[in-house]
Amino acid sequence: MALITRDLFRNWWEDMDRYHRDLEEHFKRLSTRDDIWQPPPLPSFNEYFRPWRNMMQQLERQIGGTGTVEHDPDKYRVIVDVQQFAPEEITVRTDDKCITIEGKHEERKDEHGYVSRHFVRRYVLPQGYDIGHVKPSLSADGVLTITAPKLALPAPGERIVPIERSNMPAIKTA
């Protein structure tokens, strides 16, 4: 009787072992296939909890005045999209250390009704750039580029000094 239960147990154990091996092989084959359905990616934390961020960016593009700042070793550049404004509606002002861009137009009729736009952007110019030589330029597609050059510092070391000439003699004769 003990022999029968031992053989029965051994057969049952082998059957279970074979069943688990077959399951492992099946899932290995599934994991190497490329056509397995992938669930769609979940939204990121910022998109999920801050849906207004994209709406604000779209609104800024519609209003105008969105810009980027670039630092080069020899110049400071501000690039602003002002395509919603005519060239005479845009002003660029400088003070001690700021560049201020303003665009404003009164009510106009468009396809949806009436619209008026106004924006002000102020950029603080870092030290080492020349606020007195700021040059704005407006492209045909409505991109305003404002460039401030690096301050020209005198080169250290030896330099040639120009000689000033006068028409008067230095020694007066008596």
Side-chain angles (χ1 to χ4, degrees):
M1 185 77 159
L3 189 60
I4 294 174
T5 56
R6 190 181 308 154
D7 286 338
L8 185 64
F9 180 72
R10 187 176 301 144
N11 288 342
W12 178 81
W13 190 258
E14 287 175 4
D15 288 344
M16 288 302 291
D17 197 32
R18 188 177 330 113
Y19 174 74
H20 285 282
R21 276 192 308 249
D22 289 345
L23 269 179
E24 285 179 14
E25 286 179 27
H26 173 71
F27 283 111
K28 281 181 186 176
R29 272 187 263 124
L30 278 180
S31 66
T32 59
R33 286 178 40 193
D34 290 337
D35 61 344
I36 297 177
W37 178 78
Q38 294 287 330
L42 295 174
S44 70
F45 180 77
N46 290 339
E47 291 172 3
Y48 188 72
F49 287 102
R50 297 181 185 149
W52 58 85
R53 178 174 289 171
N54 293 338
M55 292 187 314
M56 290 302 293
Q57 289 173 349
Q58 290 173 355
L59 183 63
E60 280 184 349
R61 274 190 231 112
Q62 290 173 358
I63 293 173
T66 58
T68 58
V69 175
E70 296 176 358
H71 291 276
D72 287 342
D74 57 339
K75 66 182 169 258
Y76 177 86
R77 186 181 323 170
V78 177
I79 302 169
V80 183
D81 178 16
V82 291
Q83 65 182 347
Q84 303 290 332
F85 298 90
E88 58 272 3
E89 297 170 341
I90 302 166
T91 57
V92 177
R93 292 187 308 273
T94 60
D95 59 5
D96 294 339
K97 56 185 176 181
C98 291
I99 300 171
T100 305
I101 306 163
E102 184 175 5
K104 182 178 183 178
H105 66 72
E106 301 302 322
E107 278 192 1
R108 291 185 191 166
K109 187 169 178 60
D110 67 354
E111 65 268 8
H112 303 290
Y114 290 91
V115 65
S116 72
R117 291 184 174 96
H118 181 224
F119 81 93
V120 177
R121 294 267 178 190
R122 182 171 290 124
Y123 299 93
V124 177
L125 192 65
Q127 288 183 347
Y129 293 97
D130 193 1
I131 194 90
H133 290 91
V134 169
K135 293 182 182 174
S137 67
L138 183 62
S139 67
D141 58 346
V143 176
L144 178 68
T145 304
I146 301 167
T147 307
K150 193 85 164 165
L151 277 174
L153 299 175
E158 183 178 339
R159 66 185 181 107
I160 297 174
V161 181
I163 300 171
E164 190 176 307
R165 294 186 180 189
S166 69
N167 292 332
M168 304 295 285
I171 302 173
K172 293 183 182 177
T173 55

